[in-house]
Amino acid sequence: MKRISDRVTWVGKIDWELRHFHGDEYETHEGSSYNSYLIRDEKVALVDTVWKPFDKEWLEKLKAEIDLGEIDYIISLHGEVDHSGAFKELMREIPDTPIYITANGVISSKGQYHQDWNFVPVKTGDKLSLGETELTFIEARMLHWPDTMFAFLSGENALFSSDGFGQHLASEALYADLVDQCSLWKEALKYYANILTPFSVMVKNKINEILAMELPIEKLYTSHGLLWRENIGEIIGKYLEWADDYQEDRIAIVYDTMWESTRKMADAIAEGIREASPETEVSIISTSKTDKSDVIAEVFRSKAILLGSPTVNNGILYSTSGILEMIKGLKLKKKKAAAFGSYGWSGEAVKIMTEKLREAGLDAVNDGVRVQWTPDEGMTQELRKFGKDFANSVK
Ligand code: FEO
């Protein structure tokens, strides 16, 4: 339990051991936290709970902090189980306490817990007085679930921002300004890339809607990782940048290989890119040896992607196919692409990948390049030229 102010106490759980999130979809190399908050005014409100594996442990700690009977209101910002997972344990003790939640939150909560708790549906602009302070609810559909909402606490001037502005980063420091900035921003970007990219239009609109409300927001109390209390314009500005078809001067060469031929192609193409555009950062990433959520973060940052796979069974390699499916789900715009791959006999992979890249909304600038068997010196020169031409076409 960490005292944030006279009114607000962090009552969440830091999960130092977490390495996989959303099943195995997202690797959390630096753990995470499930941030829950207690607001004490004339009335007492609890914002969110924690992930189910910690429900009993969390409840015991909460009881040490407050007599549960003193909690007047529960605020459920988002129904996903990493935040609502302790509801069953909590509501067993205080079954009649009202839960302030969006209408969609009622649906997701009932769907997951099959309980008819005392839900109070709220919508944007609804307020809940706690005494001297007041909560203003702001629906935030698709940031990142249809049930998500934010809540602004007057007096504290803090926006409880649910999954928005979060990071999967375990730390005792509590505040973003106290941790290693490299890790913080790397994890914040990875979080945006993997969780929020498909909803970028909504992110932009919601931020602009909240800014237009002219709430005196000074702090962002996130649901994962560190809280933002200083210079919150920086993370809000980054979100607006990330939501605006973000790209850096980077090219990601994302590939898998069977007998090293496609890998050698990747290396030769990279050399060509460097020759044509030395200022462009090139990353060469094996899809089978790199965590997929890290691959997605790199794809998100890049202005262009080269996807490589040899042909196998008239198709493409499993890990490359999975990354393509993830890229499609991101609904990326304004990113250029091309495919490459080696083959022994039939050689369909490049055509398949080019079609799938286009289906995923990427701008495939050519029909790709193939090498039969393994590249010799002449072919290596051609691959360098392919890389050079590609770099020039995405400048
Ligand atoms: Fe952190 Fe969407 O739950």
Side-chain angles (χ1 to χ4, degrees), residues 211-269:
L211 293 177
M213 290 170 83
E214 296 187 346
L215 298 166
I217 301 169
E218 292 170 3
K219 292 163 264 185
L220 298 169
Y221 292 172
T222 57
S223 287
H224 291 293
L226 288 312
L227 287 57
W228 305 88
R229 64 174 174 179
E230 287 194 351
N231 197 10
I232 63 164
E234 200 178 358
I235 181 67
I236 292 172
K238 274 288 169 203
Y239 260 53
L240 288 170
E241 258 184 66
W242 293 337
D244 194 19
D245 302 325
Y246 184 70
Q247 46 183 260
E248 298 171 26
D249 189 6
R250 306 172 74 92
I251 295 175
I253 303 179
V254 175
Y255 75 98
D256 201 359
T257 195
M258 287 175 74
W259 296 109
E260 305 297 324
S261 289
T262 300
R263 181 190 60 73
K264 287 175 184 164
M265 293 179 75
D267 288 347
I269 292 168

Side-chain angles (χ1 to χ4, degrees), residues 21-22 78 80 82-83 144 163 191 224:
F21 187 78
H22 279 168
H78 170 40
E80 205 163 5
D82 48 333
H83 310 295
H144 65 123
D163 283 323
Y191 191 93
H224 291 293

Side-chain angles (χ1 to χ4, degrees), residues 46 72-77 87 90-91 94-102 105-106 109 116-122 149:
L46 173 73
D72 298 289
Y73 311 121
I74 296 163
I75 316 296
S76 176
L77 299 175
F87 268 141
L90 177 69
M91 299 314 285
I94 48 172
D96 300 323
T97 306
I99 301 175
Y100 288 73
I101 189 167
T102 62
V106 177
S109 201
D116 203 12
W117 292 318
N118 182 10
F119 295 111
V120 182
V122 293
M149 70 171 175

